[in-house]
Amino acid sequence: PFHLCCFSAETRSRLGAVASRAWTRPCANSVEEEGGACKMATEEDVAALSLAPSKVLNVNIGIMGHVDSGKTSLARALSTTLSTASLDKNPQSQERGITLDLGFSSFVVPIPDHIKEKAAGYEVLQFTLVDCPGHASLIKTIIGGAQIIDMMMLVIDVTKGIQTQTAECLVIGEILMDQMVLVLNKVDQLPADSREEKIKKMQGGLNKVFAGTKFKTPIMVPVSATGGNPDSPVAENLDGLVDTLKQLVTVPDRAKEGPFYFAIDHCFPIKGKGTVMTGTVLSGSVKVNDTVEVPDMKIEKKVKSMQMFKKSVTVASQGDRVGILVTQLDPKLIERGTLATPGSVPTYSGAILVVEKIRFYKASFPTKRKLHITVGHTTVMAMVHFFTLPPGAAASSGAAGATAFDFDREYLTADELVDTSADMPSGSQ
């Protein structure tokens, strides 16, 4: 529910006309209303306002974890708005009983106090949930999902602890995320008389594991996304999880300037309308009637219309999840990919990258090995050649202190990837 006092005076007057709840308990932030109490409104009431998307601050949260840890159940329990790709709508997912593709859904909450100043101009905070698969064979899909999120929830089955894909998701989180919440799911499956003890024991073990990661002491929230136990017929502590997300959320840096770049995760036809490409704006912005390009196909199309979670919009910018309608484009040609400002995304056959070896990978990684390179939702094969600075040479620093390649310096070829975690002076290239 929403306290009316959390909104502007104009919105309060509009929302008060449709608010479905009677006067309730006094509110700490109460407006000057009868009895010092604050009227409550449900999310359906807020939907009745048809707030312009420009008034909605969107934050993308990835839900990751091992297969069958309850990720989709958690998304279902939290969400109030579903996209065309959500909650395992894929027929193969329903047949196999596991998540095979990215799912998108959302829910809204009032703007938390600690970000109100920076979020000035927004009316509500929308959490868009990106439900990622957990099966090992779908790691490329997980990586694609991880590159479009601002925060991460790592879901752990409290009855099993860390499993193989849990560790893989942790590695991805360390690379891409600054914030992560550990969700200890399925607490309803623990015996009621020893539940607290078992949860504390699991938390102690996880603290030891995460002490060696960038997250050090992550916040852990025990929940039951579904009531599988007859003694626990309803979800547990989801409000506590939402409160945690609200406390940790920050206003993402969104750049509306620069070329438009869009990660396509689904593409489908609408009879009599055209082809819809859904995805997340990674940079820049796009407007209706703009011309956009599918870079790898060199196809240009005009944007006919756009929607954000079933609401028509005329503009979308970095961080927004949107569906873009174009005409005369065969959806069979695009399953995943990118959309961009024409001419802004070059294609190339080679690149110089600064790389680090993941500490959990113990085997050697020799030069000339073939491997998969995944950028966004696109994966290609590549052959790598490693080289590094001479012993004792200091590395050049780039943006945010990262090791940078310097064309004015000499590098030595390396037979294998150097482990930069062992106090090496520079990263391998």
Coordinates of all heavy atoms in Angstrom, one line a residue, residues 95-183:
E95 N 6.9 -26.8 -20.0 CA 7.0 -28.2 -20.2 C 8.0 -28.8 -19.3 O 7.8 -29.9 -18.7 CB 7.2 -28.5 -21.7 CG 7.3 -30.0 -22.0 CD 7.6 -30.3 -23.5 OE1 7.4 -29.3 -24.3 OE2 8.1 -31.4 -23.8
R96 N 9.2 -28.1 -19.2 CA 10.3 -28.7 -18.5 C 10.3 -28.2 -17.0 O 11.1 -28.8 -16.2 CB 11.6 -28.3 -19.1 CG 11.8 -28.8 -20.5 CD 13.1 -28.3 -21.2 NE 14.2 -28.7 -20.5 CZ 15.5 -28.3 -20.8 NH1 15.6 -27.6 -21.9 NH2 16.5 -28.7 -20.1
G97 N 9.5 -27.2 -16.7 CA 9.4 -26.8 -15.3 C 10.6 -26.0 -14.8 O 10.8 -25.8 -13.6
I98 N 11.4 -25.4 -15.7 CA 12.5 -24.6 -15.3 C 12.6 -23.3 -16.2 O 12.0 -23.3 -17.3 CB 13.9 -25.3 -15.4 CG1 14.2 -25.7 -16.9 CG2 13.9 -26.5 -14.5 CD1 15.6 -26.3 -17.1
T99 N 13.2 -22.3 -15.8 CA 13.4 -21.0 -16.5 C 14.4 -21.2 -17.6 O 15.5 -21.6 -17.4 CB 13.8 -19.9 -15.6 OG1 12.8 -19.7 -14.6 CG2 13.9 -18.6 -16.4
L100 N 14.0 -21.0 -18.9 CA 14.9 -21.1 -20.0 C 15.3 -19.8 -20.7 O 16.2 -19.7 -21.5 CB 14.3 -22.0 -21.1 CG 14.0 -23.5 -20.6 CD1 13.2 -24.2 -21.8 CD2 15.2 -24.2 -20.2
D101 N 14.6 -18.8 -20.3 CA 14.8 -17.5 -20.9 C 14.6 -16.4 -19.9 O 14.1 -16.6 -18.8 CB 13.8 -17.2 -22.1 CG 14.3 -16.3 -23.1 OD1 15.4 -15.6 -22.9 OD2 13.7 -16.1 -24.2
L102 N 15.1 -15.2 -20.3 CA 14.9 -14.0 -19.4 C 13.4 -13.7 -19.2 O 12.7 -13.7 -20.2 CB 15.7 -12.8 -19.9 CG 17.2 -12.9 -20.1 CD1 17.7 -11.7 -20.7 CD2 17.8 -13.2 -18.7
G103 N 13.0 -13.4 -18.0 CA 11.6 -12.9 -17.8 C 11.6 -11.6 -17.1 O 12.5 -11.2 -16.4
F104 N 10.6 -10.7 -17.5 CA 10.6 -9.4 -17.0 C 9.2 -9.1 -16.4 O 8.2 -9.4 -17.0 CB 10.8 -8.4 -18.2 CG 12.2 -8.5 -18.8 CD1 12.4 -9.5 -19.8 CD2 13.3 -7.8 -18.3 CE1 13.7 -9.6 -20.4 CE2 14.5 -7.9 -18.9 CZ 14.7 -8.9 -19.9
S105 N 9.2 -8.5 -15.2 CA 8.0 -8.0 -14.5 C 8.4 -6.9 -13.6 O 9.6 -6.5 -13.5 CB 7.4 -9.2 -13.7 OG 8.4 -9.7 -12.8
S106 N 7.4 -6.3 -13.0 CA 7.7 -5.1 -12.2 C 6.7 -4.9 -11.0 O 5.6 -5.4 -11.0 CB 7.8 -3.9 -13.0 OG 6.5 -3.5 -13.5
F107 N 7.2 -4.0 -10.1 CA 6.2 -3.5 -9.1 C 6.7 -2.1 -8.7 O 7.9 -1.8 -8.9 CB 6.2 -4.5 -7.8 CG 7.5 -4.6 -7.1 CD1 7.7 -3.8 -5.9 CD2 8.5 -5.5 -7.4 CE1 8.9 -3.9 -5.2 CE2 9.7 -5.6 -6.7 CZ 9.9 -4.8 -5.6
V108 N 5.8 -1.3 -8.1 CA 6.2 0.0 -7.8 C 6.1 0.3 -6.3 O 5.3 -0.4 -5.6 CB 5.3 1.1 -8.5 CG1 5.6 1.0 -10.0 CG2 3.8 0.8 -8.3
V109 N 6.9 1.2 -5.8 CA 6.8 1.6 -4.4 C 7.0 3.1 -4.3 O 7.5 3.7 -5.3 CB 8.0 0.9 -3.6 CG1 7.8 -0.6 -3.5 CG2 9.3 1.3 -4.1
P110 N 6.7 3.8 -3.2 CA 6.9 5.2 -3.1 C 8.5 5.5 -3.1 O 9.3 4.6 -2.8 CB 6.4 5.6 -1.7 CG 5.4 4.5 -1.4 CD 5.9 3.2 -2.0
I111 N 8.8 6.7 -3.5 CA 10.2 7.1 -3.5 C 10.8 7.1 -2.1 O 10.2 7.8 -1.2 CB 10.4 8.5 -4.2 CG1 9.9 8.5 -5.6 CG2 11.9 8.9 -4.1 CD1 10.7 7.8 -6.6
P112 N 11.8 6.3 -1.8 CA 12.4 6.3 -0.4 C 13.0 7.7 -0.1 O 13.4 8.4 -1.0 CB 13.5 5.3 -0.5 CG 13.2 4.4 -1.7 CD 12.5 5.3 -2.7
D113 N 12.9 8.0 1.2 CA 13.3 9.4 1.7 C 14.8 9.7 1.3 O 15.1 10.8 0.9 CB 13.2 9.5 3.2 CG 11.7 9.5 3.6 OD1 10.9 9.8 2.8 OD2 11.4 9.2 4.8
H114 N 15.7 8.7 1.3 CA 17.1 9.0 1.2 C 17.5 9.3 -0.3 O 18.6 9.8 -0.6 CB 18.0 7.9 1.7 CG 17.9 6.6 0.8 ND1 16.9 5.7 0.9 CD2 18.7 6.1 -0.1 CE1 17.1 4.7 0.1 NE2 18.2 4.9 -0.6
I115 N 16.5 9.1 -1.2 CA 16.9 9.5 -2.6 C 15.9 10.5 -3.2 O 15.9 10.8 -4.4 CB 16.9 8.2 -3.6 CG1 15.5 7.6 -3.6 CG2 17.9 7.2 -3.1 CD1 15.3 6.5 -4.7
K116 N 15.0 11.0 -2.3 CA 14.0 12.0 -2.8 C 14.6 13.2 -3.5 O 14.1 13.7 -4.5 CB 13.1 12.4 -1.7 CG 12.0 11.4 -1.4 CD 11.0 11.9 -0.4 CE 9.8 10.9 -0.2 NZ 8.9 11.3 0.8
E117 N 15.7 13.7 -2.9 CA 16.3 14.9 -3.4 C 16.9 14.7 -4.8 O 16.7 15.4 -5.7 CB 17.4 15.4 -2.5 CG 18.1 16.7 -2.9 CD 19.1 17.2 -2.0 OE1 19.2 16.7 -0.8 OE2 19.9 18.1 -2.3
K118 N 17.6 13.5 -5.0 CA 18.2 13.2 -6.3 C 17.1 12.8 -7.3 O 17.3 12.8 -8.5 CB 19.3 12.2 -6.1 CG 20.2 12.0 -7.3 CD 21.4 11.1 -7.1 CE 22.2 11.0 -8.3 NZ 23.4 10.1 -8.1
A119 N 16.0 12.2 -6.7 CA 15.0 11.7 -7.6 C 13.9 12.8 -7.8 O 12.7 12.4 -8.1 CB 14.4 10.4 -7.0
A120 N 14.2 14.0 -7.6 CA 13.2 15.1 -7.7 C 12.6 15.0 -9.1 O 13.3 14.9 -10.1 CB 13.8 16.4 -7.5
G121 N 11.3 15.1 -9.2 CA 10.6 15.1 -10.5 C 9.9 13.7 -10.7 O 9.0 13.6 -11.6
Y122 N 10.3 12.7 -10.0 CA 9.7 11.4 -10.1 C 8.6 11.2 -9.0 O 8.7 11.8 -7.9 CB 10.7 10.3 -9.9 CG 11.7 10.2 -11.1 CD1 13.0 10.7 -10.9 CD2 11.4 9.7 -12.3 CE1 14.0 10.6 -11.9 CE2 12.3 9.7 -13.3 CZ 13.6 10.1 -13.1 OH 14.6 10.1 -14.1
E123 N 7.5 10.5 -9.4 CA 6.5 10.2 -8.4 C 6.6 8.9 -7.7 O 6.2 8.8 -6.5 CB 5.1 10.3 -9.2 CG 4.8 11.7 -9.7 CD 4.3 12.6 -8.6 OE1 4.2 12.2 -7.4 OE2 3.9 13.8 -8.8
V124 N 7.0 7.9 -8.4 CA 7.1 6.5 -7.8 C 8.4 5.9 -8.3 O 9.0 6.3 -9.3 CB 5.9 5.6 -8.2 CG1 4.6 6.1 -7.6 CG2 5.8 5.5 -9.7
L125 N 8.8 4.9 -7.6 CA 10.0 4.1 -7.9 C 9.5 2.7 -8.4 O 8.7 2.0 -7.8 CB 10.8 3.9 -6.7 CG 12.0 2.8 -6.7 CD1 13.0 3.3 -7.8 CD2 12.7 2.7 -5.4
Q126 N 9.9 2.4 -9.6 CA 9.6 1.1 -10.2 C 10.8 0.1 -10.2 O 11.8 0.5 -10.7 CB 9.1 1.3 -11.6 CG 8.8 -0.1 -12.4 CD 8.3 0.2 -13.8 OE1 7.1 0.3 -14.0 NE2 9.2 0.3 -14.7
F127 N 10.6 -1.0 -9.6 CA 11.6 -2.1 -9.7 C 11.2 -3.0 -10.8 O 10.2 -3.7 -10.7 CB 11.7 -2.9 -8.3 CG 12.4 -2.1 -7.2 CD1 11.7 -1.9 -6.0 CD2 13.6 -1.6 -7.3 CE1 12.3 -1.2 -5.0 CE2 14.3 -0.9 -6.3 CZ 13.6 -0.7 -5.1
T128 N 12.1 -3.1 -11.8 CA 11.9 -4.0 -12.9 C 12.7 -5.3 -12.6 O 13.9 -5.2 -12.4 CB 12.3 -3.5 -14.3 OG1 11.4 -2.4 -14.6 CG2 12.2 -4.5 -15.3
L129 N 12.1 -6.4 -12.5 CA 12.7 -7.6 -12.1 C 13.2 -8.4 -13.4 O 12.3 -8.6 -14.2 CB 11.8 -8.5 -11.2 CG 11.3 -7.9 -10.0 CD1 10.3 -8.8 -9.2 CD2 12.4 -7.4 -9.1
V130 N 14.4 -8.8 -13.4 CA 14.9 -9.5 -14.6 C 15.2 -11.0 -14.0 O 16.2 -11.2 -13.3 CB 16.2 -8.9 -15.1 CG1 16.7 -9.7 -16.3 CG2 16.0 -7.5 -15.5
D131 N 14.3 -11.9 -14.3 CA 14.4 -13.2 -13.9 C 15.3 -14.0 -14.8 O 14.9 -14.3 -15.9 CB 13.0 -13.8 -13.8 CG 12.9 -15.3 -13.3 OD1 13.9 -15.7 -12.7 OD2 11.9 -16.0 -13.6
C132 N 16.5 -14.4 -14.3 CA 17.5 -15.1 -15.1 C 17.4 -16.6 -14.9 O 17.1 -17.1 -13.8 CB 18.9 -14.6 -14.8 SG 19.1 -12.8 -15.1
P133 N 17.7 -17.4 -16.0 CA 17.7 -18.8 -15.8 C 18.8 -19.2 -14.8 O 19.8 -18.5 -14.5 CB 18.1 -19.3 -17.2 CG 17.8 -18.2 -18.1 CD 18.0 -16.9 -17.3
G134 N 18.7 -20.5 -14.3 CA 19.7 -20.9 -13.4 C 20.5 -22.2 -13.9 O 21.4 -22.6 -13.2
H135 N 20.1 -22.7 -15.0 CA 20.7 -23.9 -15.5 C 22.1 -23.6 -16.1 O 22.3 -22.6 -16.8 CB 19.8 -24.6 -16.6 CG 20.2 -26.1 -16.8 ND1 21.2 -26.4 -17.6 CD2 19.7 -27.2 -16.3 CE1 21.3 -27.8 -17.7 NE2 20.4 -28.2 -16.8
A136 N 23.0 -24.5 -15.9 CA 24.4 -24.3 -16.4 C 24.5 -24.1 -17.9 O 25.4 -23.3 -18.3 CB 25.3 -25.5 -16.0
S137 N 23.7 -24.7 -18.6 CA 23.8 -24.6 -20.1 C 23.3 -23.2 -20.6 O 23.5 -22.9 -21.8 CB 23.0 -25.7 -20.8 OG 21.6 -25.6 -20.4
L138 N 22.7 -22.4 -19.7 CA 22.1 -21.1 -20.1 C 23.0 -20.0 -19.6 O 22.4 -18.9 -19.4 CB 20.7 -21.0 -19.6 CG 19.7 -22.1 -20.1 CD1 18.4 -22.1 -19.4 CD2 19.5 -22.0 -21.6
I139 N 24.2 -20.2 -19.3 CA 25.1 -19.2 -18.7 C 25.2 -17.9 -19.6 O 25.2 -16.8 -19.1 CB 26.5 -19.7 -18.4 CG1 27.3 -18.7 -17.6 CG2 27.2 -20.2 -19.7 CD1 26.8 -18.4 -16.3
K140 N 25.1 -18.1 -20.9 CA 25.2 -17.0 -21.8 C 24.0 -16.1 -21.7 O 24.0 -14.8 -21.8 CB 25.4 -17.4 -23.3 CG 26.8 -18.0 -23.6 CD 26.9 -18.4 -25.0 CE 26.2 -19.8 -25.2 NZ 26.5 -20.4 -26.5
T141 N 22.8 -16.7 -21.5 CA 21.6 -15.9 -21.2 C 21.7 -15.2 -19.9 O 21.2 -14.0 -19.8 CB 20.4 -16.9 -21.2 OG1 20.3 -17.6 -22.4 CG2 19.1 -16.1 -21.0
I142 N 22.3 -15.8 -18.9 CA 22.5 -15.2 -17.6 C 23.4 -13.9 -17.8 O 23.1 -12.9 -17.2 CB 23.1 -16.1 -16.6 CG1 22.1 -17.3 -16.4 CG2 23.3 -15.4 -15.3 CD1 22.7 -18.4 -15.5
I143 N 24.5 -14.1 -18.5 CA 25.4 -13.0 -18.7 C 24.7 -11.8 -19.4 O 24.8 -10.7 -19.1 CB 26.6 -13.4 -19.6 CG1 27.5 -14.4 -18.7 CG2 27.5 -12.3 -20.0 CD1 28.6 -15.1 -19.5
G144 N 23.9 -12.2 -20.4 CA 23.1 -11.1 -21.2 C 22.2 -10.4 -20.2 O 22.1 -9.1 -20.3
G145 N 21.5 -11.1 -19.3 CA 20.7 -10.4 -18.3 C 21.4 -9.6 -17.4 O 21.0 -8.5 -17.0
A146 N 22.6 -10.0 -17.0 CA 23.4 -9.3 -16.0 C 23.9 -8.0 -16.4 O 24.1 -7.1 -15.6 CB 24.6 -10.2 -15.5
Q147 N 24.0 -7.8 -17.8 CA 24.5 -6.6 -18.3 C 23.5 -5.4 -18.4 O 23.9 -4.3 -18.7 CB 25.2 -6.8 -19.7 CG 26.4 -7.8 -19.6 CD 27.0 -8.0 -21.0 OE1 27.6 -7.1 -21.6 NE2 26.9 -9.2 -21.5
I148 N 22.3 -5.7 -18.0 CA 21.2 -4.7 -18.1 C 20.7 -4.3 -16.8 O 19.6 -3.6 -16.7 CB 20.1 -5.1 -19.1 CG1 19.4 -6.4 -18.6 CG2 20.6 -5.3 -20.5 CD1 18.2 -6.8 -19.4
I149 N 21.3 -4.8 -15.7 CA 20.7 -4.6 -14.4 C 21.5 -3.6 -13.5 O 22.7 -3.4 -13.8 CB 20.5 -5.9 -13.6 CG1 21.9 -6.6 -13.3 CG2 19.6 -6.8 -14.3 CD1 21.7 -7.9 -12.5
D150 N 20.8 -3.0 -12.5 CA 21.5 -2.0 -11.6 C 21.8 -2.6 -10.3 O 22.7 -2.2 -9.6 CB 20.5 -0.8 -11.4 CG 20.1 -0.2 -12.7 OD1 21.0 0.3 -13.5 OD2 18.9 -0.1 -13.0
M151 N 21.0 -3.6 -9.8 CA 21.2 -4.3 -8.6 C 20.9 -5.8 -8.8 O 20.4 -6.2 -9.8 CB 20.2 -3.8 -7.5 CG 20.3 -2.3 -7.1 SD 19.0 -1.8 -6.0 CE 19.2 -2.8 -4.6
M152 N 21.3 -6.5 -7.8 CA 21.2 -8.0 -8.0 C 20.7 -8.7 -6.7 O 21.1 -8.3 -5.6 CB 22.6 -8.5 -8.3 CG 22.7 -10.1 -8.3 SD 24.4 -10.5 -8.8 CE 24.4 -12.3 -8.5
M153 N 19.8 -9.6 -6.9 CA 19.3 -10.5 -5.8 C 19.8 -11.9 -6.1 O 19.5 -12.4 -7.2 CB 17.8 -10.5 -5.7 CG 17.2 -9.2 -5.1 SD 15.5 -9.4 -4.6 CE 14.7 -9.5 -6.2
L154 N 20.7 -12.4 -5.2 CA 21.2 -13.7 -5.4 C 20.4 -14.7 -4.5 O 20.4 -14.6 -3.3 CB 22.7 -13.8 -5.0 CG 23.4 -15.2 -5.2 CD1 23.3 -15.6 -6.7 CD2 24.8 -15.1 -4.7
V155 N 19.6 -15.5 -5.2 CA 18.6 -16.4 -4.5 C 19.3 -17.7 -4.1 O 19.9 -18.4 -5.0 CB 17.4 -16.6 -5.3 CG1 16.4 -17.5 -4.5 CG2 16.7 -15.3 -5.7
I156 N 19.2 -18.1 -2.9 CA 19.9 -19.3 -2.4 C 18.8 -20.1 -1.7 O 18.0 -19.6 -0.8 CB 21.0 -19.0 -1.4 CG1 22.1 -18.2 -2.1 CG2 21.5 -20.3 -0.7 CD1 23.3 -17.8 -1.2
D157 N 18.7 -21.4 -2.0 CA 17.8 -22.3 -1.4 C 18.4 -22.6 0.0 O 19.5 -23.1 0.2 CB 17.8 -23.6 -2.1 CG 16.8 -24.6 -1.6 OD1 16.5 -24.6 -0.4 OD2 16.3 -25.5 -2.3
V158 N 17.7 -22.1 1.1 CA 18.2 -22.2 2.4 C 18.4 -23.6 2.9 O 19.2 -23.9 3.8 CB 17.3 -21.4 3.4 CG1 16.0 -22.2 3.7 CG2 18.0 -21.0 4.7
T159 N 17.8 -24.6 2.2 CA 17.9 -26.0 2.6 C 19.1 -26.6 2.0 O 19.5 -27.7 2.4 CB 16.7 -26.8 2.2 OG1 16.6 -26.9 0.8 CG2 15.4 -26.2 2.8
K160 N 19.8 -25.9 1.0 CA 20.9 -26.5 0.3 C 22.1 -25.7 0.3 O 23.3 -26.2 0.1 CB 20.5 -26.8 -1.2 CG 19.4 -27.8 -1.3 CD 19.0 -28.0 -2.8 CE 17.8 -29.0 -2.9 NZ 17.4 -29.1 -4.3
G161 N 22.0 -24.4 0.5 CA 23.2 -23.5 0.5 C 23.7 -23.2 -0.9 O 23.0 -23.3 -1.9
I162 N 25.0 -22.8 -1.0 CA 25.6 -22.5 -2.2 C 25.8 -23.7 -3.1 O 26.3 -24.7 -2.7 CB 27.0 -21.8 -2.0 CG1 26.8 -20.4 -1.4 CG2 27.8 -21.7 -3.3 CD1 28.0 -19.6 -1.3
Q163 N 25.3 -23.6 -4.4 CA 25.4 -24.7 -5.4 C 26.2 -24.1 -6.5 O 26.7 -23.0 -6.6 CB 24.0 -25.1 -5.8 CG 23.2 -25.7 -4.6 CD 21.8 -26.0 -5.0 OE1 20.9 -25.1 -4.8 NE2 21.5 -27.2 -5.4
T164 N 26.4 -25.0 -7.6 CA 27.3 -24.7 -8.7 C 27.0 -23.3 -9.3 O 27.8 -22.5 -9.5 CB 27.3 -25.8 -9.7 OG1 27.6 -27.0 -9.1 CG2 28.4 -25.5 -10.8
Q165 N 25.7 -23.2 -9.8 CA 25.4 -22.0 -10.5 C 25.3 -20.8 -9.5 O 25.4 -19.6 -10.0 CB 24.1 -22.1 -11.2 CG 24.2 -22.7 -12.6 CD 24.7 -24.2 -12.6 OE1 24.1 -25.1 -12.0 NE2 25.9 -24.4 -13.1
T166 N 25.1 -21.0 -8.2 CA 25.2 -19.9 -7.3 C 26.6 -19.2 -7.4 O 26.7 -18.0 -7.4 CB 25.0 -20.4 -5.8 OG1 23.9 -21.3 -5.8 CG2 24.8 -19.2 -4.9
A167 N 27.6 -20.1 -7.4 CA 29.0 -19.6 -7.5 C 29.2 -18.8 -8.9 O 29.9 -17.8 -8.9 CB 30.0 -20.7 -7.4
E168 N 28.7 -19.4 -9.9 CA 28.8 -18.7 -11.2 C 28.1 -17.3 -11.2 O 28.7 -16.3 -11.8 CB 28.2 -19.6 -12.4 CG 29.1 -20.8 -12.6 CD 28.5 -21.7 -13.7 OE1 27.3 -21.4 -14.2 OE2 29.1 -22.6 -14.2
C169 N 27.0 -17.2 -10.7 CA 26.3 -16.0 -10.6 C 27.0 -15.0 -9.7 O 27.0 -13.8 -9.9 CB 24.8 -16.2 -10.1 SG 23.8 -17.1 -11.2
L170 N 27.7 -15.5 -8.6 CA 28.5 -14.7 -7.8 C 29.6 -14.0 -8.5 O 30.0 -12.9 -8.4 CB 29.0 -15.5 -6.6 CG 30.0 -14.8 -5.6 CD1 29.4 -13.5 -5.1 CD2 30.4 -15.7 -4.5
V171 N 30.3 -14.8 -9.4 CA 31.4 -14.3 -10.2 C 30.9 -13.2 -11.1 O 31.5 -12.1 -11.2 CB 32.0 -15.5 -11.1 CG1 32.9 -14.9 -12.1 CG2 32.7 -16.5 -10.2
I172 N 29.7 -13.4 -11.8 CA 29.2 -12.4 -12.6 C 28.8 -11.1 -11.8 O 29.1 -10.0 -12.2 CB 27.9 -12.9 -13.3 CG1 28.3 -14.0 -14.3 CG2 27.2 -11.8 -14.1 CD1 27.1 -14.8 -14.9
G173 N 28.3 -11.3 -10.6 CA 27.9 -10.2 -9.8 C 29.2 -9.4 -9.3 O 29.1 -8.2 -9.3
E174 N 30.3 -10.1 -9.1 CA 31.5 -9.4 -8.7 C 32.0 -8.5 -9.8 O 32.6 -7.4 -9.6 CB 32.6 -10.4 -8.3 CG 32.4 -11.0 -6.9 CD 33.7 -11.6 -6.4 OE1 34.1 -12.6 -6.9 OE2 34.3 -11.0 -5.5
I175 N 31.8 -9.0 -11.0 CA 32.3 -8.2 -12.2 C 31.5 -7.0 -12.5 O 32.0 -5.9 -12.8 CB 32.4 -9.1 -13.4 CG1 33.4 -10.3 -13.2 CG2 32.8 -8.4 -14.7 CD1 33.4 -11.4 -14.3
L176 N 30.2 -7.2 -12.4 CA 29.2 -6.2 -12.9 C 28.5 -5.4 -11.8 O 28.0 -4.3 -12.1 CB 28.2 -6.8 -13.8 CG 28.8 -7.5 -15.1 CD1 27.6 -8.3 -15.8 CD2 29.4 -6.5 -16.0
M177 N 28.4 -5.9 -10.6 CA 27.5 -5.2 -9.6 C 28.3 -4.6 -8.5 O 29.4 -5.0 -8.1 CB 26.6 -6.3 -9.0 CG 25.6 -6.9 -10.0 SD 24.3 -5.7 -10.5 CE 24.9 -5.3 -12.1
D178 N 27.7 -3.5 -8.0 CA 28.2 -2.9 -6.7 C 27.4 -3.2 -5.5 O 27.8 -3.1 -4.4 CB 28.2 -1.3 -6.9 CG 29.3 -0.9 -7.9 OD1 30.3 -1.5 -8.0 OD2 29.0 0.1 -8.7
Q179 N 26.1 -3.6 -5.8 CA 25.2 -4.0 -4.7 C 24.6 -5.3 -4.9 O 24.2 -5.6 -6.1 CB 24.1 -2.9 -4.5 CG 24.6 -1.6 -4.1 CD 23.5 -0.7 -3.5 OE1 23.0 -1.0 -2.4 NE2 23.2 0.3 -4.2
M180 N 24.4 -6.1 -3.9 CA 23.8 -7.4 -4.0 C 23.1 -7.7 -2.7 O 23.6 -7.5 -1.6 CB 24.8 -8.5 -4.3 CG 24.2 -9.9 -4.5 SD 25.4 -11.1 -5.0 CE 26.3 -11.2 -3.4
V181 N 21.9 -8.3 -2.8 CA 21.1 -8.8 -1.6 C 21.1 -10.3 -1.7 O 20.7 -10.9 -2.8 CB 19.7 -8.2 -1.6 CG1 18.9 -8.8 -0.5 CG2 19.8 -6.7 -1.5
L182 N 21.4 -11.0 -0.7 CA 21.2 -12.5 -0.6 C 19.8 -12.8 -0.1 O 19.4 -12.4 1.0 CB 22.3 -13.1 0.3 CG 23.7 -13.2 -0.1 CD1 24.5 -14.0 0.9 CD2 23.8 -13.8 -1.5
V183 N 19.1 -13.5 -0.9 CA 17.7 -13.9 -0.6 C 17.8 -15.4 -0.2 O 18.0 -16.2 -1.0 CB 16.7 -13.7 -1.7 CG1 15.3 -14.1 -1.3 CG2 16.8 -12.2 -2.1

